[in-house]
Amino acid sequence: MNLKQLAQHLELSQTTVSRALNGYPEVSEGTRKRVTEAALRLNYAPNARAKGLATGRAMAIGHVIPISTQHEMVNPVFGDFIAGASESYLAAGYDMTLSLTGDADEAENYRRLKAKGNVDGIVVHGPKMRDSRIPFLKSLGLPFVVHGRASDMDEEYCWIDVNNARAFQRATEFLVDLGHRRIALINGLESMDFAFRRRHGYEAALACRGLVPDPAIMVSEEMTETNGHRAMSRILAAPMRPTAVLCSSLITAIGVRRAIHDAGLVMGRDVSVITHDDDLSYLRNGPDVPIFTATRSSVREAGKLAADMLLRLIARPDAEPETCLLEAQLIIGASTGPAPRQDP
């Protein structure tokens, strides 16, 4: 199917269909959604070579992935984000490029992509509190959208993020309402913006209820199953073990559940667990009743929204930066319950 046939099918002009697929702001959101859904359903794929010649664009979006011993690129999360973004790229006739880079030469890779004209825009992943990539990309004049935020920077830039502070504040309040007073936190690396915000939400909730955070049961590590198991095993071995724990990743929470089982305890009875990011295509949180209580925000939807935002920025590079803050849902599962009675 070509553009003319797609336009005839939708009873729209070719110009309107083209502008909808390319993210032009003057097209209403309803029309854009109708066009993109029809393009996907009818397997419409614009000729990227011809389109690139006509527009002077590469018709490609870049994702540069740092190779690091300490980086929060959790594979299932990144895979879902890319799947969502790809829907928008496909509908708009864009290809996607993935580049692996060492931390030290990441800036050089951005410079090379810009110089060669290989991509029309970049999605930045895993921002730190103060992230040098943001001012660097602005200086290059390369359109970009950040998945997350950099709290310690005053730069204006396009970003999409989850309200991490509010999600963990709400989760902590839920546990306190269940009677828990000693609540552990197994967080991601707190140089990363999302993890800093989650700790802030956790601490704010405790403070509002007159509870003091205990550094002995607060952990900041890369989010892996092994780290979750090791951290929870150490916390449970302490004389005053917590009755509940917050985890920054479902992957970490799986390790936490294993540690609880190894200690001869029952999750949801002896120790309550709340996790984040449980809505993953390849790592489901139970078939019917959720295994874990979770703060849920669709990573796939975030990927699609980020891609749409970047395509709009490419179409209108002088437009004011867009931002999007998503709220997480609290999903009640089998991993939480009332605080157990403590021995006198």
Side-chain angles (χ1 to χ4, degrees):
M1 171 173 284
N2 58 33
L3 179 66
K4 181 178 179 180
Q5 291 169 326
L6 179 60
Q8 289 174 339
H9 173 79
L10 292 166
E11 297 183 346
L12 296 170
S13 70
Q14 292 184 53
T15 300
T16 298
V17 172
S18 176
R19 288 178 176 272
L21 292 173
N22 284 285
Y24 281 81
E26 58 265 31
V27 179
S28 71
E29 190 58 36
T31 299
R32 190 189 323 280
K33 182 178 180 181
R34 181 178 163 226
V35 170
T36 54
E37 288 178 351
L40 287 170
R41 187 174 64 254
L42 298 171
N43 295 317
Y44 169 72
N47 186 310
R49 179 181 173 84
K51 193 172 181 182
L53 290 172
T55 61
R57 295 176 183 163
M59 302 308 299
I61 303 296
H63 292 255
V64 178
I65 312 304
I67 303 172
S68 173
T69 56
Q70 285 198 326
H71 197 273
E72 297 288 353
M73 291 306 300
V74 182
N75 286 336
V77 175
F78 181 66
D80 265 29
F81 184 91
I82 289 297
S86 296
E87 292 180 17
S88 293
Y89 299 154
L90 176 63
Y94 275 77
D95 292 325
M96 178 180 63
T97 68
L98 296 178
S99 301
L100 298 178
T101 181
D103 290 342
D105 59 354
E106 188 172 2
E108 183 56 37
N109 276 320
Y110 287 130
R111 188 180 287 110
R112 175 179 51 80
L113 287 170
K114 169 69 173 178
K116 289 186 175 182
N118 289 344
V119 299
D120 298 311
I122 292 284
V123 176
V124 176
H125 297 276
K128 295 180 171 61
M129 297 288 293
R130 179 166 290 278
D131 202 304
S132 61
R133 293 173 295 177
I134 292 170
F136 181 75
L137 286 168
K138 289 188 75 171
S139 70
L140 281 182
L142 188 61
F144 68 94
V145 167
V146 180
H147 181 208
R149 285 176 284 174
S151 296
D152 285 350
M153 303 190 71
D154 295 327
E155 304 270 351
E156 290 189 351
Y157 55 93
C158 291
W159 56 260
I160 180 167
D161 198 11
V162 177
N163 193 340
N164 287 291
R166 177 59 189 142
F168 270 53
Q169 181 176 355
R170 187 179 179 194
T172 305
E173 291 169 345
F174 176 75
L175 290 171
V176 174
D177 288 341
L178 286 173
H180 297 277
R181 296 296 179 266
R182 190 160 172 78
I183 303 169
L185 173 67
I186 299 181
N187 203 3
L189 296 170
E190 289 176 2
S191 60
M192 311 296 286
D193 191 88
F194 76 88
F196 171 82
R197 290 179 184 273
R198 290 175 187 176
R199 177 169 63 82
H200 177 75
Y202 158 82
E203 292 178 334
L206 292 179
C208 285
R209 301 300 182 92
L211 301 173
V212 179
D214 182 357
I217 56 173
M218 296 168 63
V219 177
S220 170
E221 291 185 317
E222 193 166 4
M223 300 184 300
T224 67
E225 193 274 347
T226 301
N227 285 347
H229 179 265
R230 181 173 59 243
M232 194 62 190
S233 297
R234 176 180 60 77
I235 288 171
L236 290 175
M240 293 181 60
R241 72 178 186 228
T243 61
V245 58
L246 289 178
C247 302
S248 258
S249 165
L250 181 60
I251 297 171
T252 304
I254 293 171
V256 166
R257 179 176 65 170
R258 183 161 63 94
I260 293 170
H261 177 77
D262 289 350
L265 303 172
V266 177
M267 184 175 73
R269 185 191 71 189
D270 301 308
V271 183
S272 288
V273 179
I274 298 183
T275 186
H276 185 70
D277 275 345
D278 76 316
D279 188 22
L280 302 173
S281 298
Y282 300 103
L283 198 61
R284 289 296 183 188
N285 184 10
D288 299 311
V289 177
I291 297 169
F292 291 98
T293 295
T295 51
R296 175 181 295 177
S297 182
S298 171
V299 179
R300 188 181 186 113
E301 180 64 15
K304 185 178 186 309
L305 292 172
D308 290 339
M309 185 182 292
L310 182 54
L311 292 171
R312 289 193 295 271
L313 181 61
I314 291 168
R316 293 190 60 187
D318 296 330
E320 289 294 315
E322 291 186 53
T323 61
C324 179
L325 185 62
L326 304 171
E327 295 294 338
Q329 297 176 281
L330 181 63
I331 305 299
I332 309 303
S335 67
T336 50
R341 293 174 64 98
Q342 298 293 304
D343 294 331

